[in-house]
């Protein structure tokens, strides 16, 4: 079964809300638009961060990779909300190599 056929099968079993979320992810991925994520020269080395914070996406992704639950991340960073994490995960999915490189660089530092 091709990936497209698998997606069609999954789509048929999804609720309207799940389809809407999927559509948002696909739109962001295709358009390379990530609301809530900003890269500003001179701030955190220009790394992509959650808007209105200095919390880099790589840091959140690294925490998730290490098994930190979203609820715990939100508790540790009270300025963040669930939408911020969804934006970070979408960015990390679409910029996998960039985020992995940033994680490695910061582990070595």
């Amino acid at each position: 079964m091709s990936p497209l056929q698998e997606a069609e099968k999954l789509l048929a079993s999804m609720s309207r809300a799940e389809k809407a979320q999927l559509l948002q992810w696909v739109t962001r991925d295709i358009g390379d638009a990530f609301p809530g994520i900003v890269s500003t020269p001179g701030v955190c080395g220009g790394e992509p961060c959650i808007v209105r914070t200095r919390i880099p996406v790589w840091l959140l992704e690294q925490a998730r990779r290490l098994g930190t639950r979203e609820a715990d991340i939100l508790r540790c960073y009270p300025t963040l909300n669930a939408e911020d994490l969804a934006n970070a995960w979408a960015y990390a999915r679409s910029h996998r190599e960039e985020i992995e490189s940033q994680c490695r660089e910061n582990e070595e530092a």
Side-chain angles (χ1 to χ4, degrees), residues 4 8 13 19 27-28 30 39 43-44 50-51 66-68 80 93 95 97-98:
L4 191 55
E8 185 176 24
S13 67
K19 289 176 184 177
T27 302
R28 285 181 191 157
I30 290 172
S39 296
V43 176
C44 294
I50 303 299
V51 72
L66 293 171
T68 307
L80 297 183
R93 266 194 313 275
H95 298 84
E97 289 180 28
E98 172 190 1

Side-chain angles (χ1 to χ4, degrees), residues 12 23 31-32 43 45-46 49-50 55 57 64 83 86 89 96 99 103:
L23 182 58
D32 203 30
V43 176
C49 294
I50 303 299
I55 302 170
V57 172
R64 184 168 74 158
E83 184 178 359
W89 307 152
R96 190 171 315 276
I99 298 301
C103 287

Side-chain angles (χ1 to χ4, degrees), residues 21-97:
Q21 181 66 50
L22 179 62
L23 182 58
Q24 286 179 344
W25 291 343
V26 170
T27 302
R28 285 181 191 157
D29 189 54
I30 290 172
D32 203 30
F34 295 91
I37 305 297
V38 63
S39 296
T40 306
V43 176
C44 294
E47 294 176 342
C49 294
I50 303 299
V51 72
R52 78 188 181 285
T53 76
R54 290 178 174 250
I55 302 170
V57 172
W58 72 262
L59 180 73
L60 299 171
E61 178 64 17
Q62 185 70 353
R64 184 168 74 158
R65 290 178 185 180
L66 293 171
T68 307
R69 296 177 316 139
E70 286 189 13
D72 294 329
I73 294 172
L74 293 173
R75 200 171 7 268
C76 290
Y77 297 97
T79 60
L80 297 183
N81 59 48
E83 184 178 359
D84 293 326
L85 294 183
N87 290 335
W89 307 152
Y91 186 92
R93 266 194 313 275
S94 293
H95 298 84
R96 190 171 315 276
E97 289 180 28

